[in-house]
Amino acid sequence: MNGTESVSSWITPLRPALTDLSDRHLERLHRLESDLSEVLAAAPASGVGPSARLLAVRRRLAERVRAGHTPTDSPSVTALTEALAGFVCGFHDLDLRDAVGPGHGRMILRHGTGLVRRRWSARLAGGDLVGIAATERHGGSRLQKITTRAVPRPGGGWWLNGEKCWVSRLTESAAFVVFFKNPDGHIAAAVIDARAPGLERGPVIPAGLGGWAWGSLSFTDVPVDEADLLAGPDGGLAVFREHFAAFRPLVAATALGTAAGVHSQVTATLTARLTTGILPRLRDTTLVTLGRTHAELNSALLAALAAARITTAGSGQADMWSRGVKAHAVDTAHHAVAELSLLVGASGFQADSALAKARGDLGGLLYADGIHDSLLRSVGRTLTTPTAQAALPHPRTATAEIHPHAVA
Ligand SMILES: Cc1cc2nc3c(=O)[nH]c(=O)nc-3n(C[C@H](O)[C@H](O)[C@H](O)COP(=O)(O)OP(=O)(O)OC[C@H]3O[C@@H](n4cnc5c(N)ncnc54)[C@H](O)[C@@H]3O)c2cc1C
């Protein structure tokens, strides 16, 4: 977001509240921050499309991670540091939400067959990107109603036919995790190579989150083999639920990083206006907005970090927490950026302003990775269903009821 302001000024003060975040973890986050700045400065800003630049950034960061030594942490600390890495990336630009980590490729690493997991862990470590294709024209909030369907293929395996829409990372993904009905009508998930025969793309121009290409993906007799399936022939709902329980806290932290970047930029601009005498003093309303949004962003970040750990700990409330936290964090970030932008004037409304970009990107994220009314409604339903409350299943084992509510 802003080269003069450091994301450390947000993370370091939280350290007493994150007792197992060691010096080593903080150093790694500092390194990510400086690597990002360096790689972004070195990546060509013109002559290539934004997504080619983002993909180059992802690959260069992957090279640096492979060159360094990454010690193994407990799953809980890993969840914490991954969410904080998302915060660091979001602080620079929400389009960098895929700059590090497996992203949606996590579904393959968790649920693929041994061979597929090994192949993809190497490809993801090299910087390859995986997209998710779940939404269809009838409405992404109803995954159970998808019509993309597999039929048996002569000689074994299936053929996949149908269409997905609003798919992000449309042209940059090396593969997609696609959700469809198997020949028995149960929901399955499979990893489909982006170059598979019968796969066609229909790009559309996004109004926010425009860094990656976006649009529709159609399938005409695309071959699916047993080895491509995640969690077996009918494990699609369980894969979806388990993935988003873990993924949404990361999305939440990344969105809050973007709003924190805007906060730092606005604070720096106002401080400079004060010290140079452009403004004699800052109005109380401005100071109150800075103070309130600072508290709101920090408390939402702490909730997102807690949700990341609750999920990893295998809590029965993980899914509910991650749904609520995603909605709360992105709403908080979106409102904060709208209010903060008004403190610095018309410059924040130029098309190329980082503030305008953050507003548009966070607007897109109100829908992507889970629509807020659906997420919050399903939290409310869980809270008011005594049987569901008593026996909240762990997402890794849950196969029954699902609250899909959208993806990105
Ligand atoms: C920037 C962006 C990136 C995305 N990336 C991806 C991606 O990579 N892969 C992918 O598969 N999808 C992606 N999506 C799609 C996203 O997951 C869907 O937009 C989301 O699932 C909602 O689906 P929909 O847009 O069809 O809305 P709908 O499901 O039609 O819902 C629209 C509204 O209607 C409401 N609604 C639903 N049922 C009712 C009812 N009975 N009565 C009244 N209101 C109702 C919903 O809560 C919602 O508010 C992306 C979307 C965006 C904006």
Side-chain angles (χ1 to χ4, degrees), residues 132-136 138-142 165-169 208-209 214 364 367-369 371 373-374 405-408:
I132 180 168
T135 308
E136 295 185 5
H138 67 270
S141 52
R142 288 176 300 147
C165 54
W166 315 131
V167 175
S168 191
R169 311 157 187 91
L209 290 176
W214 195 46
Y367 246 71
D369 294 320
I371 329 170
D373 59 353
S374 291
H405 310 312
V407 292

Side-chain angles (χ1 to χ4, degrees), residues 265 341-342 344-357 359:
Q265 184 177 339
S341 297
L342 300 178
V344 287
S347 61
F349 293 86
Q350 299 173 105
D352 63 353
S353 146
L355 303 187
K357 181 173 189 308
R359 281 196 306 274

